[in-house]
Structure formats: C-alpha cells, structure tokens
Amino acid sequence: MRWLVFATALTSACAQDSGHLGNPLMLPVSGATTLFDNAAYAQRRGTVEVIVKSNFDAIIFDIASGGGPVLTDAMDAAGIPPRDRPARVIQLRSNLGLYQANPDALVTTLMVYGG
C-alpha cells in the first residue's frame, strides 16, 4: 500500500508544470523550430514594414477611410484573418493620431493583429 501512495505522489509531482524543460533530447529540435519561426516572423514583419513605410500617406488615408488597397496589402502581409479585419480597421481608426506620428507603431500593431 505504501508503494501506491509513493507512486501517486511521485507522478502527481511530475504532472505539475514547475518550469521543467521537458525531454532534453528534444532541445535541439525545439531550438531549430524557434529559429525557423523567428526567421519567418522577421521576413513577414519586413514585408509589412516595407508596405507601410513606402506607402505611408496612402495607408493612413486607407485607415481614415475605413479601408483601401494599401491597408489590405499590409493586412495580407501581416497575416490578419479576413474575418477580423473590420474590427481591426475600427481599432486602427481609433488610434490614427498615434500611427500618423509613428509608422513603427503601425507596423507593430499590424503584426500583433496578425498573430
């Protein structure tokens, strides 16, 4: 009976998330996955940044107008789902003053919305 109590205590301690790294043999795999994820994010962000900064006046106009081709291109590049875009345009319009003064803030916001 004691072994059952000990086994239960041992397995319940293992089941708790105490910051354990997991299987150490998987660390190279998870490290490579993180590297590829970071590279894909950086490439996507770079594309969004080029669209926003090279068409800044047009994208600000699109936001103020409730949508437009440059804003659509930026949202496509950021990976914002089409079903979320109407709400995101409303949010962008409500902070338009911030984005007019800071294109990097607009890039960051689009990337956050894109996930």
Side-chain angles (χ1 to χ4, degrees), residues 35-88:
L35 178 66
F36 290 124
D37 288 345
N38 288 344
Y41 175 85
Q43 182 177 8
R44 198 173 81 221
R45 183 182 174 92
T47 302
V48 172
E49 190 168 353
V50 167
I51 292 169
V52 168
K53 290 184 177 180
S54 63
N55 302 292
F56 188 66
D57 292 335
I59 200 166
I60 292 297
F61 179 79
D62 285 356
I63 292 169
S65 301
V70 178
L71 182 58
T72 299
D73 289 346
M75 288 181 159
D76 286 342
I80 300 171
R83 69 181 178 278
D84 294 347
R85 292 180 185 187
R88 299 307 185 193

Side-chain angles (χ1 to χ4, degrees), residues 75 82-94 113:
M75 288 181 159
R83 69 181 178 278
D84 294 347
R85 292 180 185 187
R88 299 307 185 193
V89 171
I90 292 169
Q91 291 172 317
L92 290 170
R93 286 179 74 184
S94 69
Y113 290 162

Side-chain angles (χ1 to χ4, degrees), residues 8 20 22 38 110:
T8 303
H20 188 272
N38 288 344
L110 291 170

